[in-house]
Amino acid sequence: MPLSDDQPHTRTRLPVGEQPFPQPSYRQSRPLRALLTILVVVTLLVVAIAVANRVAPGTGSAAGGGGGGGSADRAAPSAASGAGPAPSGDQPVATTVNGIPTGFPHTDQGAQSAATNYAVAIGSADMFRTDSRHGIVATIADPGALAGLQSRLDQGFGGDTAARYGLDAQGRAPKGLTFVSRTVPVGTKTAGYNDSDTKIEVWCTGLTGLAGERSVQPVTTSWFTLTLALHWTGSDWKLTDFTSRQGPAPMPGDQQAATADEITGAVQQFGGYHFAR
């Protein structure tokens, strides 16, 4: 029945869910919250990276400052004598005898320096020649141990050993070939130290063989550890005994072996060296 103009009108309010126009909802606020969460996470990551970059590698504190995780957490560096943490003020040696550094400091680091250089000398090609071998042993040996060391090393490097590498009685290589024998220390470790006697382990890699086109003894690499017993003579560390064992040897790399000409050229162009650690 139609309403007359004088009848009152009734207004009906619909429930919120039935309103004809959209209302803000929880679902519509989710994208904003997700965006804010992402921004917070990214900000935290940037801050963490910035803090991490301020920490010096190998230390547990920020660069230039103190803090936890100091030297007790790190292996002792293989710093040269007089460089790095050398509280005793050790300096590199300045004297040599027969091309071998001498006059090492009366410290643990000085003993390690002596052992490193003596390992290089013992593993050199000069040890296969009688005259140069005797000169090396006289330079590095303790006077009281000289005779015994000389006898051992004469047996170890002369005669059959030299012949096995294709050398003659004087330690000379066949014509057209170059004999290679080099010891390269990789690291040292003190096995026991006091003011008069010490043992130093020297981890080494070595090159040995004949370089050249007609070589039947190609140059090969080896890994071994020398243990050198040293005695303080009053002015220097000198060798009293030594032993050798194989390894530890790392996994060989995936590299192509050099040709005979390349090895010969490298041996001639890159001279061996003695050094003070």
Side-chain angles (χ1 to χ4, degrees), residues 54-79:
R54 294 185 60 190
V55 178
T59 69
S61 57
S71 59
D73 297 330
R74 304 192 304 273
S78 296

Side-chain angles (χ1 to χ4, degrees), residues 72-126:
D73 297 330
R74 304 192 304 273
S78 296
S81 298
S88 62
D90 292 347
Q91 295 297 320
V93 297
T95 58
T96 61
V97 176
N98 291 326
I100 304 171
T102 58
F104 296 97
H106 190 194
T107 61
D108 179 30
Q109 192 178 56
Q112 292 185 52
S113 297
T116 301
N117 285 276
Y118 296 168
V120 172
I122 292 173
S124 68
D126 289 338

Side-chain angles (χ1 to χ4, degrees), residues 109-162:
Q109 192 178 56
Q112 292 185 52
S113 297
T116 301
N117 285 276
Y118 296 168
V120 172
I122 292 173
S124 68
D126 289 338
M127 289 292 291
F128 288 82
R129 295 189 293 273
T130 303
D131 54 347
S132 57
R133 179 171 64 250
H134 288 179
I136 290 172
V137 178
T139 301
I140 69 176
D142 177 82
L146 176 59
L149 288 173
Q150 190 70 77
S151 176
R152 284 181 60 191
L153 292 168
D154 282 342
Q155 294 177 10
F157 286 91
D160 293 341
T161 302

Side-chain angles (χ1 to χ4, degrees), residues 77-275:
S78 296
S81 298
S88 62
D90 292 347
Q91 295 297 320
V93 297
T95 58
T96 61
V97 176
N98 291 326
I100 304 171
T102 58
F104 296 97
H106 190 194
T107 61
D108 179 30
Q109 192 178 56
Q112 292 185 52
S113 297
T116 301
N117 285 276
Y118 296 168
V120 172
I122 292 173
S124 68
D126 289 338
M127 289 292 291
F128 288 82
R129 295 189 293 273
T130 303
D131 54 347
S132 57
R133 179 171 64 250
H134 288 179
I136 290 172
V137 178
T139 301
I140 69 176
D142 177 82
L146 176 59
L149 288 173
Q150 190 70 77
S151 176
R152 284 181 60 191
L153 292 168
D154 282 342
Q155 294 177 10
F157 286 91
D160 293 341
T161 302
R164 189 162 62 247
Y165 284 105
L167 307 178
D168 63 17
Q170 285 72 45
R172 295 174 300 198
K175 186 177 181 180
L177 299 178
T178 302
F179 178 61
V180 182
S181 180
R182 295 187 185 179
T183 292
V184 183
V186 177
T188 60
K189 180 179 70 173
T190 302
Y193 175 83
N194 60 53
D195 286 343
S196 58
D197 295 282
T198 184
K199 285 188 177 181
I200 307 295
E201 295 184 7
V202 186
W203 181 31
C204 307
T205 184
L207 303 175
T208 312
L210 288 171
E213 286 290 346
R214 297 179 292 102
S215 174
V216 296
Q217 295 281 353
V219 178
T220 60
T221 60
S222 60
W223 290 85
F224 54 95
T225 299
L226 288 173
T227 300
L228 292 84
L230 304 178
H231 176 70
W232 181 253
T233 64
S235 59
D236 206 356
W237 291 106
K238 293 299 180 181
L239 183 69
T240 60
D241 195 10
F242 70 94
T243 58
S244 177
R245 67 178 187 273
Q246 293 184 350
M251 185 71 70
D254 185 14
Q255 289 182 286
Q256 183 176 351
T259 65
D261 286 342
E262 289 173 334
I263 289 293
T264 302
V267 171
Q268 294 173 349
Q269 295 168 23
F270 295 90
Y273 60 90
H274 297 286
F275 56 91

